[in-house]
Amino acid sequence: MKNLRWFKQISNFSNRGEIRRRRNEEESKRGSVSWSKYLVSSGGEIKGEGEEEWSADMSQLLIGNKFASGRHSRIYKGIYKQTEVAIKLISQPEEDQNLANLLENQFNSEVTLLFRLQHPNIVTFVAACKKPPVFCIIMEYLAGGSLKKYLHQQEPHSVPLDLVLKFALDIARGMHYLHNQGILHRDLKSENLLLGEDMCVKVADFGISCLESQCGSGKGFTGTYRWMAPEMIKDKHHTKKVDVYSFGIVLWELLTALTPFQDMTPEQAAFAVSRKNARPPLPTACPVKLSHLINRCWSSNPDKRPYFDEIISILENYSEAFEQDPTFFSSYKPTEHRTLVKSITRCISVHKSALKA
């Protein structure tokens, strides 16, 4: 009976995935028609008028080549007021009013959130245009592309630890800022993390973000299963700790340069995470300190996951210790998390004293 119940549960995930795939195909076919009404040509202007404080002067916007696509969006490189920008176009399907309303609400939410955010590790909002059935969000252009693209260009397990720590700190600082603003990202993954020319990581794509006070449950949520916290997969009430879970998966990506649960479909990964408490296997060469932090971040109990201020403190101490002593990760074992930062600080102090002597 237990095996039968598990079979039914994973079948439900698979059915949800199949429905989602069919809907995406239909939307893609319809979208290619409706979008062309508002795009004159590659390198042409979008026709539209601004209405809000964040509205774009569309006469100053030129669209170039498409370089990324999402479930309901396309992203182009372009020029706005003589500056390189990324242009996200969102198309409402003409035959699905419920989905059209959902996409409009997501656009309103994303623009409202982006408009108020300003941080070195958050993508910079420039302007937007709302002219149904096509919405446009203009953001800074980051030449390095997504972190996912960068990692998949590397050999597995080859990213240097100092770069892993730098990337992780950039992401944690951006997320700490978001959480201080009362915002949950809810779709944190390597694809939604962008690299600048200086290798600075910025958090992007706030289409399904929300204020923590308004997030409610995960019912009807359209995040990405491989990075999604188990409480969200189960449609339960969630807090900012769902982003900490996703950060744990991203940290695993940084260490491995692999896709989490790559031998599973997204639905199988969701079932394994939520019903069997599965996690991606940590590499045998993973430093004990980092595996300890990852295990805390992706704990099945949200209350046991650290907040981002603690994550930043831990990573900053790791980074400083590693910079001063390249053998740090192979010679130090973490204590219980309550004294972890104190112990690392003590190690650094001892090392500094030895250098002075």
Side-chain angles (χ1 to χ4, degrees), residues 116 153 156 191 193 245 255 260 264 269 275 304 342 356:
R116 58 184 276 196
Q153 291 172 343
E191 190 174 358
L193 297 165
Y245 175 94
L255 287 166
M264 300 182 185
R275 305 300 179 185
K304 292 185 177 180
K342 187 183 294 184
K356 289 180 181 179

Side-chain angles (χ1 to χ4, degrees), residues 127-147:
C129 174
K130 183 178 181 181
K131 186 176 174 29
V134 173
F135 304 139
C136 169
I137 301 177
I138 306 169
M139 299 161 287
E140 68 172 316
Y141 175 73
L142 294 166
S146 73
L147 181 60

Side-chain angles (χ1 to χ4, degrees), residues 175-183 240:
M175 294 304 303
H176 178 54
Y177 170 78
L178 276 185
H179 284 186
N180 276 349
Q181 301 296 311
I183 297 170
K240 61 184 67 173

Side-chain angles (χ1 to χ4, degrees), residues 106-117:
Q106 288 182 352
F107 167 84
N108 292 336
S109 175
E110 183 170 9
V111 171
T112 300
L113 294 178
L114 276 171
F115 184 68
R116 58 184 276 196
L117 299 177

